[in-house]
């Protein structure tokens, strides 16, 4: 097992996750089976209870793990399926150690950060690195370990110490340390400044880890002078100073690292497979797309694109497949509401919605903006504009249908109006009302087709069922299904019991589809998710 450990310095948001995933792509292109682990030093057990405001989207895995969005990058870049244990958090590690202490596993000993926490971290890394992730039952050959946060943070200190020890546990020759840093550009001649990187490497070396490779984020390629200076001051070989400068799209990153000789440093034959050719085609095709398609995204975190990262990626994958340049028109759902106080904002929001070729309402929790989402669903239904509703987006479309087609004016979800008389959406019986962490209907569940033929079934292709990932507490009210279906809103996909609604498609509409699950978690660059592909095809007249 070869390990690549990726740490970061200077500041967050340098694209450490993309760098780490790109190194994984290079290893994969050499024919290795690659997996990954992300360490998040916070105390939460998982990302499930964190607000998108704090930490971006919560990514959901097959096994129901609610994890950091970087795991999504790994799944998409490496085309693997990870599990909850691939995301290490301080909450998980400490729970494990404290549980062992209570059991008496350390009887007589003082339980301490070193060696007990650092030991538990290393055991975890080694165990999970060997778990198959590519759909086969074979253990991976290589593992990328990304350490979240920035070197020097108090909470990441035990992990740095664990990783320092780890090189002795698994052999120094089996670990490559990569440090991602920033080279700012200053002044009128655009001088590349090396001092921040010098400082962060000094700090890392002070903690006992000497990086083998430096990856420097910068606006332009590093000059030879900058490389040499960094090499001299940071104790790194000059050829091991890489630059990840601005590129038009992220598919260029593995190519850029390969061109700078990363494969040689890792002693990889990066042309052992056709993978890099595939990436090259993707990267350059995406650059040349010029004809635009506008998709309106009606959400409530529209100023924070990280909150919808996988949805954006899925739209991009689907747009690439229909040869269009994707333009997402962000619409703050509450701006669509008739009582929104700023009339200019309301006007602008409606204008954007009406100009778009397709409408997407993503998942969400809480009642802010819900009435606006209901209006967006109504607009798409009545104007024959292609619509994809994901999770809450399916639920609001059902509420709208109950109100405006079936005539139940007070219809709602009991999430937003507990006492509503004709709810379209209700709380699922098996869900806990007292505990919020990890208690939703989570992870991969099968959806069985209820009809032989429909648009969304054709998009999915072969098979009697589809497996997609879930994350919800509410569902379509079973008592409402008959009425909805008899008016044309057909539930074409249901769970194994035949009770729970998973997919609807509206009769006589170009594309009006809702899914209770989150298809965005399984989309891949070269294998767009079918509901997204349907939306993009319908929005560009290609369905
Ligand atoms: N809040 C809704 C539910 O819990 C929708 C969840 C979602 O969109 N992920 O069912």
């Amino acid at each position: 097992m070869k390990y690549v450990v990726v740490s970061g310095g200077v500041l967050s948001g340098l694209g450490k996750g993309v760098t780490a995933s790109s190194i994984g792509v290079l290893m994969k292109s050499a024919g290795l089976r690659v997996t990954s682990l992300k360490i998040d030093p916070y105390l939460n057990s998982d990302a499930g209870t964190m607000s998108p405001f704090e930490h971006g989207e919560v990514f959901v895995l097959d096994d129901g793990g609610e994890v950091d969005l970087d795991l999504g990058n790994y799944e998409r870049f490496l085309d693997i399926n990870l599990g909850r244990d691939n995301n290490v958090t301080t909450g998980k590690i400490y729970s494990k150690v404290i549980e062992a202490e209570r059991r008496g596993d350390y009887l007589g000993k003082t339980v301490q950060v070193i060696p007990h926490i650092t030991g538990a971290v290393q055991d975890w890394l080694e165990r999970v690195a060997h778990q198959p992730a590519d759909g086969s039952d074979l253990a991976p050959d290589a593992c990328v370990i990304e350490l979240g946060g920035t070197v020097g943070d108090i909470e990441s200190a035990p992990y740095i110490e664990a990783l320092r020890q780890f090189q002795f546990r698994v052999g120094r020759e089996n670990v490559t340390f990569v440090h991602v840093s920033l080279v700012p550009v200053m002044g009128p001649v655009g001088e590349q400044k090396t001092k921040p990187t010098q400082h962060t490497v000094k700090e890392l070396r002070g903690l006992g880890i000497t990086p083998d490779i430096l990856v420097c984020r910068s606006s332009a390629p590093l000059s030879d002078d900058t490389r040499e200076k960094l090499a001299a001051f940071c104790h790194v070989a000059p050829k091991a100073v890489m630059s990840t400068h601005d590129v038009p799209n992220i598919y260029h990153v593995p190519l850029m690292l390969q061109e700078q000789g990363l494969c040689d440093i890792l002693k990889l034959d990066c042309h052992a497979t056709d993978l890099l050719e595939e990436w090259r085609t993707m990267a350059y095709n995406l650059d040349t797309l010029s004809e635009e398609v506008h998709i309106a995204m009606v959400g409530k975190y529209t100023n924070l694109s990280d909150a919808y990262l996988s949805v954006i990626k899925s739209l991009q994958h689907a747009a690439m497949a229909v040869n269009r340049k994707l333009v997402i028109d962000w619409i703050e759902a509450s701006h669509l509401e008739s009582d929104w106080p700023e009339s200019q904002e309301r006007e602008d929001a409606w204008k954007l919605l009406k100009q778009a070729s397709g409408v997407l309402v993503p998942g969400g929790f809480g009642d802010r903006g819900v009435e606006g989402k209901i209006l967006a669903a109504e607009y798409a239904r009545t104007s024959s504009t292609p619509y994809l509703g994901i999770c809450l987006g399916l639920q609001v479309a059902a509420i709208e249908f109950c109100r405006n087609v079936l005539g139940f004016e007070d219809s709602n979800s009991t999430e937003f109006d507990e006492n509503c008389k004709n709810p379209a959406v209700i709380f699922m019986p098996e869900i806990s009302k007292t505990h919020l962490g990890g208690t939703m209907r989570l992870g991969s569940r099968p959806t069985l087709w209820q009809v032989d033929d429909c648009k969304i079934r054709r998009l999915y292709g072969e098979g009697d069922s589809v497996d997609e990932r879930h994350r919800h507490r509410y569902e379509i009210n079973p008592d409402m299904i008959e009425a909805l279906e008899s008016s044309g809103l057909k539930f074409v996909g249901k769970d194994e019991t035949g009770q729970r609604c998973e997919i609807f498609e509206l009769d006589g509409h170009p594309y009006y589809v809702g899914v209770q699950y989150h298809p965005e978690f399984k989309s891949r660059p070269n294998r767009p998710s079918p509901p997204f592909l349907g939306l993009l095809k319908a929005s560009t007249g290609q369905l």
Side-chain angles (χ1 to χ4, degrees):
M1 172 69 66
K2 300 288 180 190
Y3 296 91
V4 174
V5 174
V6 181
S7 56
V10 185
L11 45 89
S12 61
L14 294 179
K16 188 155 37 102
V18 170
T19 303
S21 314
S22 298
I23 296 173
V25 170
L26 293 180
M27 295 199 284
K28 206 179 160 191
S29 74
L32 301 182
R33 280 177 204 286
V34 184
T35 186
S36 79
L37 271 138
K38 168 85 198 286
I39 300 173
D40 281 306
Y42 48 67
L43 279 164
N44 304 58
S45 292
D46 61 34
T49 55
M50 286 159 118
S51 151
F53 277 123
E54 295 264 324
H55 220 76
E57 120 192 314
V58 177
F59 194 81
V60 180
L61 301 170
D62 274 343
D63 67 2
E66 299 174 275
V67 296
D68 184 82
L69 51 77
D70 275 319
L71 284 262
N73 279 329
Y74 290 111
E75 288 203 339
R76 286 186 286 266
F77 270 62
L78 302 175
D79 199 3
I80 51 178
N81 286 314
L82 300 170
R84 63 178 79 236
D85 286 356
N86 292 76
N87 196 183
V88 182
T89 65
T90 298
K92 288 181 189 170
I93 297 288
Y94 272 74
S95 300
K96 210 169 164 156
V97 171
I98 290 168
E99 206 180 284
E101 187 273 334
R102 293 289 78 185
R103 237 184 356 246
D105 290 6
Y106 310 113
L107 213 55
K109 293 268 184 292
T110 308
V111 183
Q112 294 181 294
V113 172
I114 305 173
H116 299 103
I117 294 294
T118 50
V121 170
Q122 293 176 72
D123 293 347
W124 190 299
L125 297 177
E126 209 176 0
R127 172 177 63 83
V128 179
H130 286 84
Q131 288 172 359
D134 64 353
S136 75
D137 51 7
L138 297 170
D141 307 303
C143 177
V144 182
I145 300 173
E146 179 189 346
L147 175 61
T150 322
V151 167
D153 297 347
I154 288 180
E155 47 181 29
S156 69
Y159 293 99
I160 301 213
E161 171 58 15
L163 291 163
R164 185 195 65 73
Q165 295 173 15
F166 197 59
Q167 59 188 317
F168 297 107
R169 181 192 282 225
V170 299
R172 183 65 184 89
E173 69 284 8
N174 294 321
V175 186
T176 298
F177 289 104
V178 178
H179 193 56
V180 179
S181 175
L182 174 74
V183 173
V185 176
M186 306 284 286
V189 290
E191 199 189 339
Q192 298 180 329
K193 296 299 217 180
T194 62
K195 198 63 91 185
T197 305
Q198 293 182 40
H199 278 296
T200 172
V201 173
K202 190 172 169 197
E203 180 142 29
L204 186 62
R205 293 184 70 204
L207 298 168
I209 292 179
T210 298
D212 301 295
I213 297 170
L214 275 184
V215 175
C216 302
R217 269 296 282 134
S218 191
S219 47
L222 294 187
S223 69
D224 289 344
D225 281 357
T226 309
R227 275 181 214 263
E228 272 159 35
K229 196 163 174 192
L230 282 169
F233 283 95
C234 299
H235 191 68
V236 172
K239 67 174 186 359
V241 181
M242 306 272 139
S243 109
T244 43
H245 39 272
D246 294 353
V247 278
N249 68 67
I250 54 170
Y251 303 116
H252 285 282
V253 180
L255 306 169
M256 175 160 73
L257 294 172
Q258 185 251 334
E259 279 153 21
Q260 293 177 63
L262 190 73
C263 295
D264 294 340
I265 300 173
L266 294 176
K267 303 196 180 73
L268 297 170
D269 169 13
C270 286
H271 295 288
T273 68
D274 295 333
L275 188 64
L276 279 190
E277 264 329 293
E278 244 175 73
W279 278 74
R280 197 176 310 280
T281 311
M282 266 181 337
Y284 290 99
N285 277 357
L286 193 52
D287 290 350
T288 56
L289 294 177
S290 57
E291 200 179 330
E292 294 182 345
V293 54
H294 284 252
I295 301 293
M297 268 270 265
V298 184
K300 73 172 193 183
Y301 302 107
T302 50
N303 52 349
L304 301 162
S305 55
D306 264 6
Y308 299 113
L309 188 67
S310 296
V311 175
I312 298 171
K313 296 291 173 198
S314 305
L315 284 170
Q316 278 168 354
H317 302 160
M320 270 200 285
V322 299
N323 283 312
R324 289 293 191 285
K325 182 174 175 182
L326 175 70
V327 183
I328 298 179
D329 291 327
W330 295 95
I331 299 176
E332 188 62 38
S334 45
H335 292 184
L336 294 170
E337 294 166 9
S338 57
D339 57 358
W340 183 252
E342 302 290 333
S343 59
Q344 189 59 48
E345 279 178 351
R346 192 168 66 241
E347 219 172 277
D348 293 347
W350 275 102
K351 197 165 150 206
L352 268 187
L353 183 67
K354 290 185 173 169
Q355 280 170 357
S357 304
V359 177
L360 193 152
V361 177
F365 297 84
D367 59 6
R368 183 167 64 83
V370 164
E371 290 300 322
K373 292 177 190 176
I374 294 174
L375 289 169
E378 178 185 11
Y379 164 76
R381 180 178 62 79
T382 53
S383 63
S384 295
T385 307
Y387 176 87
L388 175 61
I390 296 176
C391 207
L392 182 61
L394 162 137
Q395 297 174 358
V396 295
I399 298 170
E400 188 277 318
F401 205 84
C402 278
R403 288 184 188 174
N404 299 326
V405 180
L406 304 185
F408 298 121
E409 275 167 33
D410 70 333
S411 190
N412 211 327
S413 162
T414 55
E415 181 176 3
F416 315 123
D417 178 2
E418 232 177 316
N419 305 315
C420 138
K421 278 202 293 294
N422 296 293
V425 180
I426 57 166
F427 195 75
M428 283 186 285
E430 69 268 35
I431 302 301
S432 165
K433 288 220 173 192
T434 52
H435 281 68
L436 292 182
T439 57
M440 284 187 256
R441 181 167 178 253
L442 283 167
S444 183
R445 312 281 175 125
T447 294
L448 275 52
W449 294 114
Q450 307 294 308
V451 294
D452 291 334
D453 190 28
C454 64
K455 293 189 188 89
I456 185 70
R457 182 164 185 175
R458 278 191 219 175
L459 285 156
Y460 270 101
E462 301 283 287
D464 297 330
S465 65
V466 295
D467 291 323
E468 294 275 17
R469 300 177 184 172
H470 295 71
R471 184 172 189 252
H472 63 127
R473 292 192 177 89
Y474 293 80
E475 62 172 331
I476 298 290
N477 180 359
D479 295 341
M480 215 36 115
I481 296 176
E482 218 182 288
L484 290 166
E485 291 207 315
S486 62
S487 293
L489 198 68
K490 297 279 162 60
F491 291 96
V492 297
K494 291 188 179 164
D495 77 340
E496 315 94 306
T497 68
Q499 300 299 311
R500 185 157 284 153
C501 292
E502 295 279 9
I503 312 174
F504 74 60
E505 183 174 310
L506 179 62
D507 281 348
H509 188 286
Y511 189 79
Y512 197 78
V513 169
V515 289
Q516 185 58 76
Y517 50 79
H518 291 269
E520 68 269 27
F521 296 134
K522 286 179 74 172
S523 185
R524 298 286 191 265
N526 274 339
R527 221 170 44 249
S529 162
F532 287 90
L533 186 59
L535 178 69
L536 267 290
K537 282 191 165 179
S539 303
T540 55
Q542 301 182 49
L543 189 67

